[in-house]
Amino acid sequence: MTNQKLLCHVAYCGLYCGLCAHRIRIPQQASQLQKSLHEEGFDNWYQYVPDLKDTFPPFWQFLQKLTEIDCTCRTEGGPPECKIRQCAKQKGIEVCPRCKDYPCTLIQSLAEHYPTLIQDGKRLQKIGLEKWVKEQEERAKHGVVYADIRYPWKT
């Protein structure tokens, strides 16, 4: 498999998109909630509840949008002003663990919230991108997402 194909689900920082709750868990849960609401008739029943008449249609649209999330931090996902992405592009590197300065202060700062980030990056350096992606895919098969091990953003 080519590097470009492998990298399509690897953020510049070294996080694997297949372990992102925004990409995996949230769309699945939104879809399940939408299905349950539909099976219970809520997609029409809301019309008979005055408090829901105005709020349910936008909620339903929002729920639908959540089921369609398919971002990648390599292109449109993540914060638009991501300094890590900007730095990697400026240096012409595909993924931060391949940088001679790894782990830099930007990565160390992100690792305060993603405790496996630096070790995963070192693992990528050791075994190479192809084997590393396969290991991440195995994690994903077991239902692991970063949200399960991530530290809160607000402390």
Side-chain angles (χ1 to χ4, degrees):
M1 192 176 298
T2 67
N3 263 2
Q4 288 307 102
K5 184 86 169 157
L6 290 170
L7 286 168
C8 73
H9 296 299
V10 181
Y12 284 99
C13 62
L15 291 173
Y16 182 68
C17 298
L19 299 176
C20 179
H22 295 219
R23 189 177 165 78
I24 305 299
R25 187 176 290 164
I26 298 300
Q28 289 172 353
Q29 290 175 338
S31 180
Q32 184 58 49
L33 177 57
Q34 197 174 40
K35 181 181 175 190
S36 295
L37 288 169
H38 174 72
E39 287 172 355
E40 294 297 325
F42 270 75
D43 47 348
N44 290 314
W45 178 81
Y46 77 88
Q47 298 174 53
Y48 306 108
V49 181
D51 289 345
L52 294 180
K53 267 189 170 182
D54 294 332
T55 57
F56 190 84
F59 166 73
W60 193 259
Q61 289 173 342
F62 171 72
L63 203 55
Q64 181 59 39
K65 291 285 185 193
L66 287 177
T67 69
E68 298 167 359
I69 291 176
D70 187 26
C71 74
T72 174
C73 289
R74 292 199 78 73
T75 55
E76 77 281 350
E81 70 287 346
C82 178
K83 291 179 182 172
I84 294 172
R85 183 187 306 125
Q86 292 170 2
C87 178
K89 284 183 171 186
Q90 182 181 349
K91 289 182 174 184
I93 59 171
E94 298 171 315
V95 64
C96 291
R98 291 189 170 166
C99 179
K100 64 179 176 52
D101 299 322
Y102 187 84
C104 68
T105 56
L106 292 172
I107 292 296
Q108 290 170 3
S109 179
L110 183 60
E112 290 178 16
H113 304 285
Y114 293 92
T116 64
L117 178 63
I118 293 174
Q119 282 307 117
D120 282 348
K122 289 179 180 181
R123 180 85 176 144
L124 187 152
Q125 291 171 335
K126 182 178 179 179
I127 66 172
L129 184 63
E130 190 168 348
K131 287 181 181 176
W132 184 84
V133 166
K134 285 180 182 175
E135 287 183 355
Q136 303 316 302
E137 289 171 347
E138 281 301 311
R139 278 182 173 169
K141 284 180 188 175
H142 294 286
V144 173
V145 295
Y146 288 120
D148 296 335
I149 54 175
R150 183 181 63 214
Y151 295 126
W153 286 99
K154 296 176 184 174
T155 54

